[in-house]
Amino acid sequence: MPNSRRFEARARCGIVVPVGPADIPTTPRDDATVPSRVAVTGAGDPPDLGERYRIGERLGEGGMGVVWQAHDRTLDRTVAVKVLHDRYLGADDQARLVAEARSMARLSHPNVVSVYDVAERDGRTFLIMELVRGQPLGAWLKTPRSWRAIVEVFLAVADGLAAAHDAGLIHRDVKPGNLLVGDDGRARIADFGVAHAGQSVPVAGEAPALVTTVTEGVIGTPAYMAPEQLRGEPADAAGDQFGLCASLYEALAGRRPFAGATTTALSDAIERGPAPLADVPVWLDRAVRRGLAADPAARFGSIRELAAALRPPRRRAWLFGGALLALAGSGVAIALAAGRPAATPACPDPALRLRGVWDDAVRARVVARLAEVAPAFGDATGHEVARALDGYAGAWQTMQLETCRATRVRHEQTAETLERRMACLDDRRRALAHLAGVLADADAAVAERAGRAPASLPSIADCGNGAALGAAATPATEAAREDLATALALLATGDYRGALPFAERARAAAVAAGDRGLAATAMVARGRLELGTGDAGTSAATLTEAGALAEAAGIPMLRVDAWLYTANALQRLGRHDEASAQLDLADRALRDSPDDERQILLLSYRGTLLGRRGRYADADVVLRRALELAIKVYGDPSPSVANQLTNLAVVARRLGKLDDALAYARRAVAQQQMLGADHPDLARSRAGLAVVLATLGRDDEAKVELEAALAALRRVKGDDDPSVAATEGDLAALATRQGHLDEALTRFRAALAVVERTAPDAPETWRLRAEIAGTLDAAGRADEAEPLLREVLAARLRLLGPDHADVASSQRELALALQSQGHLDDAAAQARLAQDTYARAFGAEHATVADMLAVRGQLERVRGHLRDALALDREALAMRTRLLPADGADVAASRAHVAEDLLALDRAVEALPLAEAAVASMTTSRSPSLPTATFALARARWRGGGDRAQAVAEARHARDLAATSELGDDATLRAEIDAWLATVGDAAAGQRSR
């Protein structure tokens, strides 16, 4: 394998398969570029935007300007063109407006009406924007909506505002009139960031309280403005938060939170505070009124904190503990709110049941213990874990109280349902208690996994879902439920083997008691634990049995869990069709009974399966949906979001979308930083970022990331940990890529020495031995590499079986080593074996199969079998074109290979367009193959009857490229080009610089 590909192939580039609820930045949209020819018109006249935009109907007029529908012929999409009113024609106004609109054009978020571009000519400004088919919030609210539906709309808007705040943009005029609900159900915020651009005046027919004003620095709509804005102070994110909560209050109550005919009267009303909201949960009323606090410091710290507090139980405050209802031990019960009576005596304070389970004292012990056993990162991790468990405890209290009231106060639920729901909540309380106990007695290994642990707690929302409820608890099952809680706590912290006896004991006791639902739940836990130990085969069998038992017990959502985790196990076994069938079953069930957390897991597993099958474009779509949903459910940042960002970086890199891959990888690193600067998960994310940087040719930056990761791991784990060895191996692979082969061998051998001490026959140990052999081959020592590669191949066949991808990798490396020694027939045979093994491991239509077709094509060319080479390279090109972007690096390489074959067959005319296309793509990506492809283009042009002077110039350019360290500094290629230039005669003479 060429050095430039070794690093990408061996680094941790596999897709993450989550074991619990998993994890999207929106893919940047193509900016619409407005042509420079823009005719000057009045705001009310149809604009002339040249040939690119065909103007259609007039859509409406608002305080900012007139909006027209248009068709973008270049990008074949319908857009909105906003022509700003004459009052925005001032030079200062124009400068501010254009600057901020261009900033908005760089912001792409599903809940913000996108500004594609801004054009300005002769003082007239045009905004090219996303066209949203839908209705304003006010029109949407004319149909009666539940408080839950209303909150969902505002959560989406909050996500958009948060993204804009991250980009340094403030809206300044958040009000119902700027909130839209699309026909697709998606909420968006419009007119973002442009309200401050000029002196606004009332619009005919618009109510005075809805007029956007700019008077002596006061910018916005007074009825929704924060008091500091009314005073003329600069608008900021806290002001946007106030406007959002004022709009939400109005949507929930049917009236504005504050009334006043003047700004002074409004300010006085705000100081007094709004009346409590009726007919909504206590936690929602409290969150909305906190966002309307007169003092900005008393509001939430950010829009994301507000969103966390607005989320219904189980979702709220995964991250933001400060936005939660008070916990047990704080002296404030969840049933209380300002101006509200306490719960009736029939429903006792649920906080009492969390004393000693999760209260201030337990919280303090957990945080202190994690800081003690992991000094490098434990304090940061401890506080993040505490915030997540705060959210879980708060959601438990809310559900406990609502469950009781449904029967004993509102009389809308039977006593039997109450008993079953309370049994479910008791199980959740047990799980929280056992996890808190494990964390309070954590060692360093538990501390490392603690950040991911809360996501593995069983869902509280299930306790309100009849499809997820089992039988009520009995004395006979009490011990089984305790054992199951212990198993789940150990599962959450990664002690899979330690948890297995508890899960099995819970299953056996549940079977003896005749509780099939509890037995199925324990079996699902056992199957997940078996998968955690690496026993995917046993796991699949256990989970299949658990699913059948869940169906017999009449618990459909537990059946869904079994399908999801069975699919994960089957995927690990390479049984992709069976895994896909299990996911299809889960998908159909979730359409009938939507569940966000299970949907995230479904999308995560579906995306990873598509990636394993080489369907990267499909995986990209699915994983972006998973990430979008994970951000909504768990908040951003969170470990679940980090998982999906890592997955998306892998997929984007394979698709050749390297800018996207880099953005995803950087976001994954940022997510993990919340766990502490030296947390091992952060180090792993930095290693993933290094892979992307190296793929971009930014080797120095990649090395910085890897060295930082290695230093952190050594501080936390010492020198003899496998993760240290793995990162040392990554640095070695990078050194191989850079041609520093002695350094690479030293690093690989140091890594091997570590893993050999603990696991001399493990797959990772053999992987490092294979890397050493590959580096020896790259160093021209193929005679040393071959016997080591054969030893690795034999070990992998013994450990993994004949159909594993690692076996195919060994066969490929052996083929390359044999080729280096001139054993071409043996090399061709090994390459064919590698292709067949990859096809068995991943399917016949997969990128790795296409890679092997390309390897075989080059081998056949060296052997002189030119027609065979052409057939193989064309097959590789066709497969890559089906699987990968047409302008990607792999497709370009295949075009260059086919061009080389055609040149060797004296078919230069056919080779020329392929070589031109290959060079065009490689120039954009700075592919390491660019010098070779450029030389092929020169020869094709010379021999195909093209411009020979241009051919000579291209050959000289290829030689210059071959001399650059970024693209490999290939002395052999330079010599070949010099020889060719010498043969073309006088046409090349005098043009040669060296």
Side-chain angles (χ1 to χ4, degrees), residues 285-308:
D285 170 64
R286 182 174 297 174
V288 174
R289 291 195 293 128
R290 179 177 170 184
L292 292 171
D295 181 0
R299 298 171 206 154
F300 294 97
S302 69
I303 288 286
R304 285 199 174 89
E305 285 196 34
L306 167 64

mmCIF file of all heavy atoms in Angstrom, residues 285-308:
data_model
loop_
_atom_site.group_PDB
_atom_site.id
_atom_site.type_symbol
_atom_site.label_atom_id
_atom_site.label_comp_id
_atom_site.label_asym_id
_atom_site.label_seq_id
_atom_site.Cartn_x
_atom_site.Cartn_y
_atom_site.Cartn_z
ATOM 1 N N ASP A 285 -43.901 26.299 33.500
ATOM 2 C CA ASP A 285 -44.212 27.649 33.961
ATOM 3 C C ASP A 285 -42.973 28.313 34.550
ATOM 4 O O ASP A 285 -42.654 29.473 34.258
ATOM 5 C CB ASP A 285 -45.332 27.568 35.001
ATOM 6 C CG ASP A 285 -45.544 28.895 35.721
ATOM 7 O OD1 ASP A 285 -45.923 29.881 35.056
ATOM 8 O OD2 ASP A 285 -45.296 28.935 36.941
ATOM 9 N N ARG A 286 -42.258 27.555 35.373
ATOM 10 C CA ARG A 286 -41.074 28.113 36.032
ATOM 11 C C ARG A 286 -40.004 28.497 35.010
ATOM 12 O O ARG A 286 -39.378 29.566 35.103
ATOM 13 C CB ARG A 286 -40.523 27.089 37.024
ATOM 14 C CG ARG A 286 -39.315 27.583 37.798
ATOM 15 C CD ARG A 286 -38.903 26.590 38.860
ATOM 16 N NE ARG A 286 -39.958 26.431 39.855
ATOM 17 C CZ ARG A 286 -39.903 25.543 40.839
ATOM 18 N NH1 ARG A 286 -38.862 24.745 40.953
ATOM 19 N NH2 ARG A 286 -40.885 25.451 41.715
ATOM 20 N N ALA A 287 -39.797 27.649 34.000
ATOM 21 C CA ALA A 287 -38.760 27.928 33.005
ATOM 22 C C ALA A 287 -39.105 29.165 32.183
ATOM 23 O O ALA A 287 -38.246 30.027 31.941
ATOM 24 C CB ALA A 287 -38.589 26.713 32.085
ATOM 25 N N VAL A 288 -40.377 29.275 31.752
ATOM 26 C CA VAL A 288 -40.762 30.420 30.927
ATOM 27 C C VAL A 288 -40.618 31.719 31.726
ATOM 28 O O VAL A 288 -40.077 32.718 31.225
ATOM 29 C CB VAL A 288 -42.214 30.249 30.424
ATOM 30 C CG1 VAL A 288 -42.670 31.515 29.685
ATOM 31 C CG2 VAL A 288 -42.311 29.042 29.493
ATOM 32 N N ARG A 289 -41.076 31.721 32.977
ATOM 33 C CA ARG A 289 -41.019 32.951 33.765
ATOM 34 C C ARG A 289 -39.588 33.315 34.160
ATOM 35 O O ARG A 289 -39.266 34.487 34.324
ATOM 36 C CB ARG A 289 -41.937 32.828 34.981
ATOM 37 C CG ARG A 289 -43.409 32.823 34.538
ATOM 38 C CD ARG A 289 -44.394 33.054 35.669
ATOM 39 N NE ARG A 289 -44.415 31.953 36.617
ATOM 40 C CZ ARG A 289 -44.265 32.106 37.933
ATOM 41 N NH1 ARG A 289 -44.047 33.295 38.440
ATOM 42 N NH2 ARG A 289 -44.322 31.060 38.724
ATOM 43 N N ARG A 290 -38.713 32.299 34.282
ATOM 44 C CA ARG A 290 -37.306 32.648 34.533
ATOM 45 C C ARG A 290 -36.707 33.343 33.307
ATOM 46 O O ARG A 290 -35.929 34.301 33.441
ATOM 47 C CB ARG A 290 -36.502 31.396 34.862
ATOM 48 C CG ARG A 290 -35.024 31.680 35.098
ATOM 49 C CD ARG A 290 -34.244 30.447 35.505
ATOM 50 N NE ARG A 290 -32.814 30.696 35.503
ATOM 51 C CZ ARG A 290 -31.882 29.778 35.737
ATOM 52 N NH1 ARG A 290 -32.234 28.536 36.027
ATOM 53 N NH2 ARG A 290 -30.603 30.086 35.708
ATOM 54 N N GLY A 291 -37.070 32.900 32.113
ATOM 55 C CA GLY A 291 -36.572 33.556 30.907
ATOM 56 C C GLY A 291 -37.090 34.965 30.733
ATOM 57 O O GLY A 291 -36.547 35.729 29.929
ATOM 58 N N LEU A 292 -38.152 35.328 31.490
ATOM 59 C CA LEU A 292 -38.719 36.672 31.427
ATOM 60 C C LEU A 292 -38.279 37.543 32.599
ATOM 61 O O LEU A 292 -38.869 38.601 32.842
ATOM 62 C CB LEU A 292 -40.255 36.568 31.410
ATOM 63 C CG LEU A 292 -40.855 35.951 30.144
ATOM 64 C CD1 LEU A 292 -42.349 35.705 30.322
ATOM 65 C CD2 LEU A 292 -40.598 36.838 28.924
ATOM 66 N N ALA A 293 -37.258 37.120 33.312
ATOM 67 C CA ALA A 293 -36.789 37.899 34.458
ATOM 68 C C ALA A 293 -36.323 39.280 34.011
ATOM 69 O O ALA A 293 -35.705 39.439 32.950
ATOM 70 C CB ALA A 293 -35.656 37.163 35.158
ATOM 71 N N ALA A 294 -36.614 40.290 34.822
ATOM 72 C CA ALA A 294 -36.191 41.656 34.491
ATOM 73 C C ALA A 294 -34.670 41.782 34.485
ATOM 74 O O ALA A 294 -34.095 42.505 33.662
ATOM 75 C CB ALA A 294 -36.808 42.643 35.483
ATOM 76 N N ASP A 295 -34.010 41.083 35.393
ATOM 77 C CA ASP A 295 -32.550 41.125 35.488
ATOM 78 C C ASP A 295 -31.964 40.080 34.541
ATOM 79 O O ASP A 295 -32.224 38.882 34.700
ATOM 80 C CB ASP A 295 -32.127 40.834 36.923
ATOM 81 C CG ASP A 295 -30.613 40.893 37.102
ATOM 82 O OD1 ASP A 295 -29.905 41.164 36.113
ATOM 83 O OD2 ASP A 295 -30.153 40.659 38.240
ATOM 84 N N PRO A 296 -31.167 40.458 33.548
ATOM 85 C CA PRO A 296 -30.595 39.468 32.619
ATOM 86 C C PRO A 296 -29.815 38.376 33.341
ATOM 87 O O PRO A 296 -29.802 37.221 32.896
ATOM 88 C CB PRO A 296 -29.679 40.302 31.715
ATOM 89 C CG PRO A 296 -30.208 41.696 31.819
ATOM 90 C CD PRO A 296 -30.767 41.831 33.199
ATOM 91 N N ALA A 297 -29.179 38.710 34.469
ATOM 92 C CA ALA A 297 -28.392 37.710 35.197
ATOM 93 C C ALA A 297 -29.269 36.636 35.812
ATOM 94 O O ALA A 297 -28.789 35.538 36.120
ATOM 95 C CB ALA A 297 -27.563 38.392 36.281
ATOM 96 N N ALA A 298 -30.554 36.929 36.007
ATOM 97 C CA ALA A 298 -31.461 35.949 36.598
ATOM 98 C C ALA A 298 -32.040 35.005 35.558
ATOM 99 O O ALA A 298 -32.670 34.002 35.913
ATOM 100 C CB ALA A 298 -32.603 36.656 37.329
ATOM 101 N N ARG A 299 -31.848 35.306 34.265
ATOM 102 C CA ARG A 299 -32.309 34.405 33.208
ATOM 103 C C ARG A 299 -31.338 33.241 33.070
ATOM 104 O O ARG A 299 -30.345 33.144 33.779
ATOM 105 C CB ARG A 299 -32.438 35.176 31.883
ATOM 106 C CG ARG A 299 -33.453 36.304 31.935
ATOM 107 C CD ARG A 299 -33.399 37.183 30.678
ATOM 108 N NE ARG A 299 -33.890 38.534 30.996
ATOM 109 C CZ ARG A 299 -33.539 39.629 30.350
ATOM 110 N NH1 ARG A 299 -32.671 39.559 29.321
ATOM 111 N NH2 ARG A 299 -34.026 40.805 30.724
ATOM 112 N N PHE A 300 -31.608 32.394 32.136
ATOM 113 C CA PHE A 300 -30.717 31.263 31.894
ATOM 114 C C PHE A 300 -29.400 31.759 31.306
ATOM 115 O O PHE A 300 -29.336 32.810 30.648
ATOM 116 C CB PHE A 300 -31.376 30.255 30.948
ATOM 117 C CG PHE A 300 -32.590 29.594 31.533
ATOM 118 C CD1 PHE A 300 -33.860 30.059 31.262
ATOM 119 C CD2 PHE A 300 -32.458 28.505 32.381
ATOM 120 C CE1 PHE A 300 -34.982 29.464 31.809
ATOM 121 C CE2 PHE A 300 -33.564 27.893 32.936
ATOM 122 C CZ PHE A 300 -34.837 28.375 32.659
ATOM 123 N N GLY A 301 -28.362 30.973 31.507
ATOM 124 C CA GLY A 301 -27.044 31.379 31.038
ATOM 125 C C GLY A 301 -26.922 31.409 29.529
ATOM 126 O O GLY A 301 -26.025 32.043 28.991
ATOM 127 N N SER A 302 -27.815 30.712 28.820
ATOM 128 C CA SER A 302 -27.775 30.668 27.364
ATOM 129 C C SER A 302 -29.107 30.140 26.866
ATOM 130 O O SER A 302 -29.919 29.610 27.629
ATOM 131 C CB SER A 302 -26.639 29.756 26.866
ATOM 132 O OG SER A 302 -26.934 28.403 27.182
ATOM 133 N N ILE A 303 -29.307 30.260 25.573
ATOM 134 C CA ILE A 303 -30.510 29.680 24.957
ATOM 135 C C ILE A 303 -30.524 28.170 25.147
ATOM 136 O O ILE A 303 -31.586 27.560 25.335
ATOM 137 C CB ILE A 303 -30.561 30.041 23.459
ATOM 138 C CG1 ILE A 303 -30.906 31.525 23.287
ATOM 139 C CG2 ILE A 303 -31.574 29.181 22.721
ATOM 140 C CD1 ILE A 303 -32.353 31.872 23.569
ATOM 141 N N ARG A 304 -29.358 27.527 25.111
ATOM 142 C CA ARG A 304 -29.333 26.068 25.287
ATOM 143 C C ARG A 304 -29.773 25.687 26.699
ATOM 144 O O ARG A 304 -30.432 24.665 26.885
ATOM 145 C CB ARG A 304 -27.935 25.520 24.996
ATOM 146 C CG ARG A 304 -27.632 25.479 23.500
ATOM 147 C CD ARG A 304 -26.467 24.528 23.191
ATOM 148 N NE ARG A 304 -26.305 24.412 21.755
ATOM 149 C CZ ARG A 304 -25.534 25.222 21.020
ATOM 150 N NH1 ARG A 304 -24.865 26.195 21.608
ATOM 151 N NH2 ARG A 304 -25.439 25.052 19.716
ATOM 152 N N GLU A 305 -29.400 26.473 27.707
ATOM 153 C CA GLU A 305 -29.880 26.189 29.054
ATOM 154 C C GLU A 305 -31.396 26.348 29.125
ATOM 155 O O GLU A 305 -32.089 25.547 29.762
ATOM 156 C CB GLU A 305 -29.208 27.115 30.063
ATOM 157 C CG GLU A 305 -27.767 26.753 30.384
ATOM 158 C CD GLU A 305 -27.279 27.438 31.652
ATOM 159 O OE1 GLU A 305 -28.103 27.624 32.564
ATOM 160 O OE2 GLU A 305 -26.092 27.781 31.715
ATOM 161 N N LEU A 306 -31.905 27.377 28.484
ATOM 162 C CA LEU A 306 -33.358 27.548 28.425
ATOM 163 C C LEU A 306 -34.003 26.337 27.762
ATOM 164 O O LEU A 306 -34.994 25.790 28.266
ATOM 165 C CB LEU A 306 -33.701 28.824 27.651
ATOM 166 C CG LEU A 306 -35.173 28.988 27.238
ATOM 167 C CD1 LEU A 306 -36.069 29.094 28.468
ATOM 168 C CD2 LEU A 306 -35.337 30.202 26.324
ATOM 169 N N ALA A 307 -33.457 25.902 26.626
ATOM 170 C CA ALA A 307 -34.033 24.761 25.910
ATOM 171 C C ALA A 307 -34.027 23.515 26.785
ATOM 172 O O ALA A 307 -34.979 22.723 26.783
ATOM 173 C CB ALA A 307 -33.264 24.515 24.614
ATOM 174 N N ALA A 308 -32.936 23.321 27.545
ATOM 175 C CA ALA A 308 -32.864 22.154 28.419
ATOM 176 C C ALA A 308 -33.981 22.183 29.453
ATOM 177 O O ALA A 308 -34.579 21.148 29.787
ATOM 178 C CB ALA A 308 -31.503 22.099 29.106
#
